[in-house]
Amino acid sequence: MSHDLQLGPDGRLRHLLGLEGLPPALLRQLLDQAELLRPHAHGGTALRGRHAGRTCCTLFFEPSTRTRSSFQLAATRLGMDVLNFDVSTSSTKKGETALDTLKTIEAMGVDLFVIRHASDGAVAELAAGANPGTKVINAGDGRSNHPTQGLLDMLTLRQHKGADFSGLTVLVAGDVLHSRVARSDLQALRALGCGEIRVCGPANLLPGAEVLRGCKVFDDMDAAVAGVDAAIMLRLQRERMEQGLVPSLEGYYRDFGLTPARLARAAPDAIVMHPGPMNRGVEIDGAVADGPQSVILGQVANGLPTRMAVIDLLLGATAPL
C-alpha cells in the first residue's frame, strides 16, 4: 500500500486504507478523538452541525450489515447526508467497473466514500482514482485490511488496560490466515508497542512470516492463553471445514476453542474480545462470550465513536467538541 496515498505531504490523513505504516502518534490521535466522541456516539444532536452539508456514501461491493450500519450511524451523528449504494443491484451487473461507479457517485457531490470489497488492494486502487478532495475509508478488503475494526479493538483494549501497551501480553487466536481483522489488529498492536503479541491457530490457518512479524506463534492453545491480558478470538468460517482445512468443528473447539477452563489459565483480569459474528461452541464457548471477562458488546459500542473519529479527522474538523 502506498504510504503517500494515505498521508498528505503535511503528514495528515488523506484516506484510511490500512494501519500498516501509520505513525503511532496518528493512531493515538484517532483513539483519543474516539474517546472524546464517545459521549456523543449513542444519541443526541450536539454534533449534527459538525459536518452538515457533507455527504458520505457507503459503497459496498461485498455484503455487510454490521460495519455498514455502524458507518451509517457514525456519519449521521456528525450531521452528514448518507447515501447507501447497493452494488449487488447496481450497474456493475451491466458491466460498469468499480471505478466508473465511484466516479459517477463522486460527480453527485459525495465527499467521503466508505468502501468494502472482496479483493485485496481494491479499495486502495479506488482511492488512487478518486478526485484529490475525496476521502476514502476502507471498510474491509479481501484478507488485507479492516482498519476501523483494528482501531476499535485497540480502543477497547485501552479502556480496560490503559494507554501503555508495553506491559501487555495479547493473544490473537483462530483462523488468522483468512482474517483481515487479525492483520489490522497485529499491525496496530505492533505500532502501539504491545509487549508480547501471541498468535495461535492450526498450522494451515496461519499466514506467512511477514504477517506474523514480531509475534510468538503457538500451536497449543493451553500454552498460548497462559497469563495473557487479552484474548482476541477470530471467527472460524464454516467454508474452511468444507474446504477440508478443518477436519471437524468439534475437533477445532476441542483444540482451539476458548473454554472457561482455558480462560482460567489467563491473567485473572484478562479480557475476551471477538470481532463478531461469533460461532458459539466453535471458537468460543457461550459461557465465555457472555461471561464477566467478555468485552465483546463493548467492542460493538466502540465502533461508532471510532468511525466518527476517522470521519472527523479525514474531513479536517477544526472546531472543538
Side-chain angles (χ1 to χ4, degrees):
M1 181 186 304
S2 168
H3 194 58
D4 296 338
L5 198 54
Q6 291 209 97
L7 299 178
D10 57 359
R12 291 177 61 165
L13 201 61
R14 290 174 59 197
H15 306 292
L16 182 66
L17 306 175
L19 301 181
E20 188 71 67
L22 285 187
L26 183 53
L27 290 180
R28 292 190 181 95
Q29 182 186 2
L30 284 163
L31 297 177
D32 290 343
Q33 188 72 354
E35 200 63 63
L36 287 172
L37 286 163
R38 274 178 74 206
H40 305 281
H42 295 276
T45 58
L47 298 180
R48 292 298 168 99
R50 195 162 174 83
H51 296 296
R54 312 292 288 275
T55 303
C56 168
C57 175
T58 59
L59 183 59
F60 278 49
F61 295 88
E62 186 184 65
S64 164
T65 303
R66 300 151 71 102
T67 301
R68 186 177 200 151
S69 301
S70 182
F71 269 112
Q72 184 176 353
L73 278 173
T76 304
R77 293 277 188 268
L78 293 168
M80 300 184 77
D81 296 318
V82 181
L83 170 65
N84 290 310
F85 196 81
D86 185 354
V87 177
S88 64
T89 59
S90 77
S91 301
T92 53
K93 294 247 176 177
K94 303 170 188 171
E96 184 173 273
T97 68
L99 185 58
D100 285 337
T101 301
L102 180 139
K103 299 302 285 185
T104 300
I105 301 169
E106 191 178 47
M108 298 176 192
V110 169
D111 303 280
L112 181 145
F113 286 87
V114 177
I115 305 176
R116 172 167 285 196
H117 203 287
S119 301
D120 294 330
V123 179
E125 287 178 20
L126 290 171
N131 289 337
T134 301
K135 308 298 183 183
V136 171
I137 299 172
N138 185 351
D141 68 322
R143 300 179 189 176
S144 299
N145 297 281
H146 197 344
T148 57
Q149 181 72 46
L151 287 169
L152 73 88
D153 285 350
M154 296 308 107
L155 181 64
T156 307
L157 196 53
R158 193 166 84 157
Q159 286 163 354
H160 291 272
K161 298 297 174 185
D164 181 4
F165 283 17
S166 64
L168 295 181
T169 299
V170 177
L171 168 66
V172 178
D175 182 4
V176 181
L177 178 63
H178 300 98
S179 175
R180 53 192 169 206
V181 173
R183 282 166 174 75
S184 289
D185 278 344
L186 294 174
Q187 291 161 6
L189 287 167
R190 279 194 291 259
L192 295 172
C194 182
E196 185 175 303
I197 307 169
R198 297 182 183 178
V199 170
C200 182
N204 62 345
L205 293 180
L206 293 180
E210 176 56 29
V211 175
L212 299 177
R213 192 174 75 256
C215 302
K216 286 185 70 173
V217 181
F218 291 77
D219 58 7
D220 181 333
M221 187 65 176
D222 290 325
V225 79
V228 300
D229 299 292
I232 302 174
M233 304 305 297
L234 302 171
R235 178 168 66 102
L236 179 74
Q237 296 177 339
R238 302 287 172 135
E239 52 263 40
R240 304 303 164 222
M241 192 173 133
E242 291 160 15
Q243 293 164 351
L245 296 176
V246 176
S248 75
L249 296 179
E250 295 77 15
Y252 184 88
Y253 176 69
R254 180 193 67 235
D255 294 338
F256 297 101
L258 188 60
T259 61
R262 281 205 171 106
L263 181 56
R265 300 173 67 88
D269 60 348
I271 59 171
V272 175
M273 301 166 65
H274 193 301
M278 290 182 287
N279 290 308
R280 292 166 181 264
V282 180
E283 71 266 0
I284 190 167
D285 190 282
V288 172
D290 301 326
Q293 288 168 268
S294 169
V295 297
I296 295 168
L297 291 179
Q299 288 174 267
V300 177
N302 278 333
L304 266 181
T306 299
R307 288 166 178 134
M308 288 171 71
V310 173
I311 292 170
D312 208 36
L313 216 65
L314 280 172
L315 293 181
T318 53
L321 289 170

